[in-house]
């Protein structure tokens, strides 16, 4: 019961944080409409959220490998929310970039430590990590709906309302950290044995996740505008497309955890990336409303490997699970934002459809890398051992 409660609360907290990753993409059409930004200028906002996050993520991962820093969870959640809340208050492009970058740092600080805590709470199980990842996917999915509800009938001046999920997420972290800090009565916790690091496999895995990041962030940045072009300028079509792209991740994460319990993680991930090649092709080139089923299929295909890649990374680097979580859950997710300005420049020069076409190759490259990966054997966690008799008497 305690384990399930901890994972549930962590999943909801993860949703509250990843709302702010999804909110950046969801705000792009409003920045374009309200401030007349070009594709390239608008994609610079995604770059701002990603750039500092990409730099900060491995730093926080290395720090959490050395010291447990559970206080980062509520603090980083608040930082992520405050940055987005302030992003629409100034007409200055420079200040907008700064505020979005602050939010990106908050998200960067959250993920390595949260992955470590989730692994501890879930005792290394694939399903537990899948449910934790599901929370983040739901946060992504809710972001366009929340942004549309808050900003769609007003203006960017309403962004301070978007801080509310951060307040909820920070509050939910507190009981989880208290539960994990309190050992079960009559038992004492011991560290799980650590295996040998497989750095070569971890590097290949990281590259695969980078390619996944490029296609997912590229689509999330421009799919609203792409759908609007397909549907004669319908803003609702853009919101629906982004919602489907994020919502399908909820299905994909749970499905990935279930499949990994029956088949190995590497095989399941290979299947998912192969499916994603066809799905992304449909998103970019299918006419009119026919694109929507492909959006949902793309989301499922890209998210089936998502939680599996986190546990794979931690098993490839068992002595540095914080770094592994920071890379697979955070750093390589934000790297895709570094490519968005290039797609924006290309879209300004030719067309948005042409600019998005190279994204079809990204899941194919991930599939090729997964063909070279072994399925690691995770170290079995030691069972809790009885506490010393003196400790039981003192209790």
């Amino acid at each position: 019961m305690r384990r399930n409660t901890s994972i549930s609360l962590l999943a909801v907290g993860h949703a509250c944080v990843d709302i702010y990753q999804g909110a950046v993409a969801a705000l792009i059409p409003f920045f374009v409409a309200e401030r007349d930004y070009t594709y390239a200028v608008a994609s610079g906002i995604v770059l701002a959220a990603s750039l500092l996050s990409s730099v900060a993520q491995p730093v926080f991962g290395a720090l959490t490998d050395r010291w447990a820093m559970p206080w980062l969870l509520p603090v980083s959640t608040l930082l992520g929310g405050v940055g987005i809340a302030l992003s629409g208050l100034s007409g200055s492009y420079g200040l907008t970039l700064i505020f979005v970058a602050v939010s990106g740092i908050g998200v960067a600080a959250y993920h390595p430590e949260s992955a470590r805590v989730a692994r501890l709470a879930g005792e290394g199980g694939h399903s537990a990590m899948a449910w934790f990842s599901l929370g983040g996917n739901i946060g992504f999915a809710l972001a366009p709906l929340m942004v549309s509800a808050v900003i769609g009938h007003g203006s960017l001046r309403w962004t301070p309302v978007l801080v509310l999920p951060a307040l909820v997420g920070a509050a939910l972290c507190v009981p989880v950290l208290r539960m994990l800090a309190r050992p079960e009565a009559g038992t004492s916790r011991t560290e799980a044995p650590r295996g040998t690091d497989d750095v070569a496999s971890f590097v290949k895995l990281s590259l695969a996740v980078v390619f996944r990041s490029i296609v997912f962030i590229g689509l999330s940045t421009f799919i609203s505008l792409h759908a609007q072009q397909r549907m004669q300028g319908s803003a609702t079509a853009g919101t629906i497309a982004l919602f489907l792209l994020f919502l399908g991740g909820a299905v994909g994460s749970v499905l990935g955890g279930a499949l990994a319990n029956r088949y190995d993680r590497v095989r399941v991930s290979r299947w998912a990336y192969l499916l994603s090649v066809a799905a992304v092709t449909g998103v970019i080139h299918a006419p009119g409303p026919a694109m929507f089923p492909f959006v949902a299929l793309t989301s499922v295909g890209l998210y089936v490997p998502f939680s599996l890649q986190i546990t794979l990374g931690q098993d490839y680097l068992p002595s540095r699970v914080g770094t592994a979580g920071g890379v697979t859950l955070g750093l390589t997710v934000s790297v895709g934002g570094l490519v968005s300005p290039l797609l924006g420049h290309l879209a300004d020069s030719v067309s948005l459809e042409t600019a998005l076409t190279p994204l079809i190759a990204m899941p194919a490259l991930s599939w090729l890398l997964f063909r070279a990966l072994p399925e690691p054997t995770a170290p079995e966690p030691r069972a809790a051992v009885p506490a010393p008799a003196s400790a039981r008497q003192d209790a």
Side-chain angles (χ1 to χ4, degrees):
M1 177 65 70
R2 183 170 149 184
R3 173 189 173 186
N4 292 340
T5 300
S6 296
I7 289 296
S8 298
L9 291 175
L10 283 170
V12 176
H14 193 189
C16 293
V17 171
D18 276 6
I19 276 178
Y20 299 110
Q21 290 205 83
V24 176
L27 285 168
I28 293 299
F30 296 101
F31 281 116
V32 170
E34 197 165 315
R35 299 183 181 176
D36 295 323
Y37 289 163
T38 64
Y39 290 139
V41 170
S43 60
I45 297 173
V46 179
L47 174 63
S50 303
L51 189 58
L52 282 179
S53 180
S54 298
V55 174
Q57 204 94 234
V59 174
F60 284 110
L63 290 174
T64 57
D65 281 332
R66 191 165 186 178
W67 301 287
M69 296 189 290
W71 54 267
L72 267 181
L73 270 63
V75 171
S76 59
T77 301
L78 291 173
L79 195 62
V82 168
I84 292 298
L86 297 175
S87 66
L89 293 185
S90 172
S92 166
Y93 184 65
L95 283 176
T96 299
L97 295 182
I98 290 172
F99 291 139
V100 171
V102 167
S103 178
I105 292 174
V107 172
Y110 176 85
H111 282 109
E113 181 66 4
S114 66
R116 184 190 69 82
V117 171
R119 184 178 176 91
L120 176 64
E123 300 173 3
H126 302 326
S127 295
M129 188 62 77
W131 285 107
F132 170 70
S133 300
L134 170 65
N137 302 335
I138 291 175
F140 261 111
L142 291 177
L145 301 181
M146 185 181 69
V147 168
S148 180
V150 173
I151 312 298
H153 300 290
S155 73
L156 290 169
R157 296 282 180 180
W158 283 89
T159 54
V161 177
L162 301 178
V163 79
L164 292 177
L167 300 177
V168 174
L172 290 176
C173 290
V174 177
V176 176
L177 300 181
R178 285 178 176 170
M179 277 190 281
L180 294 179
R182 187 172 62 245
E184 297 286 355
T187 64
S188 62
R189 291 186 180 271
T190 59
E191 289 284 332
R194 292 178 172 180
T196 303
D197 291 344
D198 184 352
V199 176
S201 293
F202 182 76
V203 170
K204 293 174 187 176
L205 173 70
S206 299
L207 288 173
V209 184
V210 165
F211 292 130
R212 178 216 175 265
S213 172
I214 291 172
V215 62
F216 182 77
I217 301 299
L219 287 177
S220 66
T221 302
F222 294 110
I223 198 167
S224 289
L225 298 170
H226 180 61
Q228 287 177 24
Q229 290 180 3
R230 282 282 192 270
M231 314 295 168
Q232 291 75 48
S234 169
T236 301
T239 299
I240 291 172
L242 193 59
F243 175 70
L244 287 175
L245 182 66
F246 293 163
L247 182 65
V251 177
S253 287
V254 175
L255 181 61
L259 290 173
N261 288 330
R262 183 171 182 180
Y263 309 100
D264 66 67
R265 291 165 290 177
V266 171
R267 187 190 308 179
V268 171
S269 298
R270 283 202 302 260
W271 291 341
Y273 280 126
L274 200 57
L275 172 67
S276 298
V277 175
V280 173
T281 303
V283 170
I284 297 170
H285 296 298
M291 71 174 287
F292 289 126
F294 287 106
V295 173
L297 193 61
T298 295
S299 182
V300 173
L302 292 177
Y303 267 105
V304 161
F306 189 76
S307 66
L308 308 184
Q309 290 166 160
I310 300 170
T311 58
L312 277 170
Q314 291 172 333
D315 289 343
Y316 287 142
L317 290 186
S319 70
R320 288 174 282 175
V321 294
T323 298
V327 171
T328 54
L329 185 58
L331 172 61
T332 45
V333 174
S334 61
V335 164
L338 306 181
V339 180
S340 293
L342 299 178
L343 297 176
H345 280 294
L346 185 58
D348 287 331
S349 301
V350 283
S351 70
L352 186 55
E353 180 178 340
T354 302
L356 294 178
T357 298
L359 297 180
I360 297 170
M362 298 300 109
L365 292 172
S366 295
W367 173 75
L368 286 173
L369 285 162
F370 261 90
R371 285 179 60 84
L373 286 177
E375 176 68 25
T377 302
E380 293 292 333
R382 293 177 187 168
V385 297
S390 58
R392 290 197 300 268
Q393 291 169 0
D394 290 342

